[in-house]
Amino acid sequence: MEFAFTDEQEMIRESADSFLQDVSTSEAVRAAMATDQGFDSELWQRLCQEMYWQALHIPEEYGGLGLGYVELAILFEEMGRRLFCSPFFSTVAMGVNALLVAGNEEQKQQWLPQIAEGSLTATLGLASSQQNRDNRRWDASSVQATARKEGDGYVLSGSWHYVPDGHTAGLLILAAREEGSKGEAGIRLFAVSADSEGVQSHWTPTMDQTRKQAKVEIDNLFVSADCCLGGEGTSDWPALEQVLQLASVAIAAEQAGGARQVMELTINYTRERVQFGRTIASFQAIKHRAADMMLQVECAKSAVYYAACVADEVLKSLSSSEQVSEVKDELPEAAALAKAYCSDAFFHCAAESIQLHGGVGFTWEYDPHLYFKRAKSTETFLGDGGLHRERIARQLLDDSGQVKG
């Protein structure tokens, strides 16, 4: 199958490249890194009002553009290239997707128009215990915050770790489990306003300063039943799992873009660095390593855009009663494949960049270390390559180790 962008998609890519090249320079990234907030508020509003990217895949009935996940992946790839510092990933890939997948009509009407107009940012909190730090499963066992049924609502208590932009988001979509439930049963999603009394959010310093994470803590906060996404008496885990898969596709697109950019930075540097009277780019060994990076980048992009096509079908199935392609059933496998391959490709290219830059590769003045840190942080976030390969194996093999079907 030959995949190529349509004229409209190519126009989106070109406009994103031009815009980000101007606003997300190395200096701008470093300036955003130095703040607790982690991004420039004026630039975020400019993105919302001029580019309207935050509304890209929000359906038109909620004030969005109604475009697809391939177009969204294009933006994430370009943002990954420039290490763009903003609450875009948390708001769009996590918050919006959670509302689209798990929210009811009233909740979509309440929150999506605010996100589409740029007046609200959102995020998703899942991991709520030390357990996730130890085994990094990013599965139902990571949800340990509690939701106690009380009257016509719930009382939430617990903490959520590794929440992207959790200290600045206006809307927190938090996973909690009903008291006494185990495994995938009893997991619920709650849409909580960040300014609710009893909600505390703290920025958590991490290795990757280009994307801020936070710890959210809640102690005995009563929320009405209207805040609960999904239906009464059912587990929201299937919906939450699908949201995480969609977010994995988005972060994989970021990784593919980052791998491409750090490869280009490295190749350009090898054309300038001179040893033994000639540029090191002319050495056969360097050419081999550059070719290996290019191969990984191209394969990563192939995995991303196939997964984005699958994600597109998933979102169409949520908003349309018409029959859509059965390819939507491949989302768990496609998302895991994209996240695993792109995690490995980005880290490989970033590590190669450090080495091929030589002694300056990890100095503050040069950019490779920024990509290296982003590569490592995105590798572990939502599960590393090993975890996703294990998930693919489980989907393909039965209990005896034989191929299913």
Side-chain angles (χ1 to χ4, degrees):
M1 181 179 71
E2 182 179 352
F3 178 88
F5 290 150
T6 65
D7 291 341
E8 183 183 51
Q9 290 167 343
E10 184 60 31
M11 183 177 66
I12 291 173
R13 190 202 65 76
E14 290 177 356
S15 64
D17 178 48
S18 177
F19 179 77
L20 293 170
Q21 197 169 6
D22 288 339
V23 304
S24 190
T25 61
S26 178
E27 294 76 14
V29 170
R30 292 165 188 267
M33 286 166 47
T35 66
D36 290 349
Q37 179 172 271
F39 64 95
D40 183 338
S41 298
E42 292 184 5
L43 177 57
W44 172 248
Q45 284 305 311
R46 183 181 168 192
L47 179 147
C48 293
Q49 303 306 322
E50 294 182 18
M51 310 304 291
Y52 219 52
W53 287 348
Q54 81 290 352
L56 189 81
H57 81 305
I58 294 176
E60 294 182 60
E61 58 263 35
Y62 308 115
L65 297 177
L67 297 179
Y69 222 77
V70 173
E71 290 81 3
L72 194 62
I74 291 171
L75 293 186
F76 276 114
E77 182 186 353
E78 294 302 322
M79 289 182 179
R81 285 188 64 198
R82 306 296 175 184
L83 295 179
F84 185 53
C85 299
S86 78
F88 189 82
F89 173 78
S90 56
T91 298
V92 175
M94 305 194 84
V96 170
N97 282 339
L99 291 168
L100 291 176
V101 173
N104 57 39
E105 184 61 27
E106 290 74 18
Q107 291 160 343
K108 293 176 184 178
Q109 292 285 357
Q110 179 181 1
W111 300 112
L112 289 178
Q114 296 183 55
I115 295 175
E117 69 183 17
S119 62
L120 179 70
T121 59
T123 191
L124 172 70
L126 166 71
S128 41
S129 73
Q130 189 76 17
Q131 179 183 7
N132 192 65
R133 182 180 300 172
D134 294 337
N135 62 29
R136 300 192 182 279
R137 301 302 303 175
W138 294 96
D139 58 12
S141 66
S142 301
V143 181
Q144 297 296 324
T146 60
R148 185 179 75 253
K149 185 68 176 172
E150 185 173 293
D152 60 350
Y154 292 85
V155 176
L156 301 182
S157 294
S159 60
W160 291 261
H161 300 266
Y162 326 115
V163 183
D165 302 303
H167 60 307
T168 60
L171 175 65
L172 304 172
I173 299 177
L174 304 173
R177 63 171 63 249
E178 296 183 15
E179 288 187 328
S181 65
K182 296 181 179 180
E184 299 177 0
I187 293 179
R188 310 307 306 270
L189 284 173
F190 297 90
V192 179
S193 178
D195 58 8
S196 300
E197 187 175 353
V199 177
Q200 295 184 346
S201 302
H202 313 281
W203 167 48
T204 304
T206 61
M207 176 181 64
D208 178 18
Q209 297 166 278
T210 63
R211 171 170 290 144
K212 305 295 185 180
Q213 294 186 10
K215 178 181 179 182
V216 178
E217 296 180 290
I218 292 179
D219 184 24
N220 292 322
L221 172 68
F222 178 82
V223 294
S224 65
D226 295 340
C227 296
C228 184
L229 276 63
E232 250 334 290
T234 61
S235 173
D236 289 337
W237 173 249
L240 176 55
E241 188 175 34
Q242 195 169 74
V243 172
L244 296 178
Q245 291 161 359
L246 292 171
S248 293
V249 176
I251 210 167
E254 268 195 2
Q255 291 173 318
R260 174 184 163 198
Q261 182 69 9
V262 79
M263 176 192 70
E264 292 177 358
L265 286 175
T266 305
I267 291 174
N268 290 336
Y269 181 77
T270 62
R271 290 170 176 166
E272 298 172 356
R273 183 180 171 188
V274 176
Q275 282 188 325
F276 309 111
R278 53 193 285 199
T279 61
I280 65 172
S282 64
F283 298 156
Q284 193 68 27
I286 301 298
K287 293 179 180 180
H288 286 164
R289 295 172 77 168
D292 184 51
M293 284 193 287
M294 174 170 272
L295 176 63
Q296 296 218 21
V297 168
E298 291 302 315
C299 290
K301 288 183 64 175
S302 296
V304 163
Y305 284 104
Y306 180 75
C309 290
V310 175
D312 217 14
E313 294 299 315
V314 170
L315 293 179
K316 286 179 183 177
S317 70
L318 296 173
S319 59
S320 174
S321 58
E322 298 180 7
Q323 184 70 24
V324 297
S325 171
E326 292 183 359
V327 75
K328 68 182 179 64
D329 298 330
E330 298 179 22
L331 180 63
E333 182 180 342
L337 175 63
K339 182 60 168 64
Y341 199 94
C342 292
S343 293
D344 293 348
F346 191 12
F347 188 78
H348 171 79
C349 290
E352 285 287 87
S353 180
I354 296 290
Q355 288 208 357
L356 294 178
H357 272 76
V360 300
F362 218 87
T363 57
W364 184 258
E365 292 77 12
Y366 284 73
D367 288 345
H369 73 95
L370 299 178
Y371 288 90
F372 184 84
K373 293 170 183 175
R374 173 66 77 89
K376 191 60 181 176
S377 68
T378 54
E379 177 191 28
T380 57
F381 189 72
L382 300 183
D384 60 17
L387 173 63
H388 286 284
R389 283 188 287 272
E390 180 184 328
R391 289 176 176 174
I392 294 172
R394 288 178 178 175
Q395 292 159 16
L396 297 179
L397 305 177
D398 58 26
D399 294 336
S400 65
Q402 301 297 314
V403 178
K404 292 180 180 179

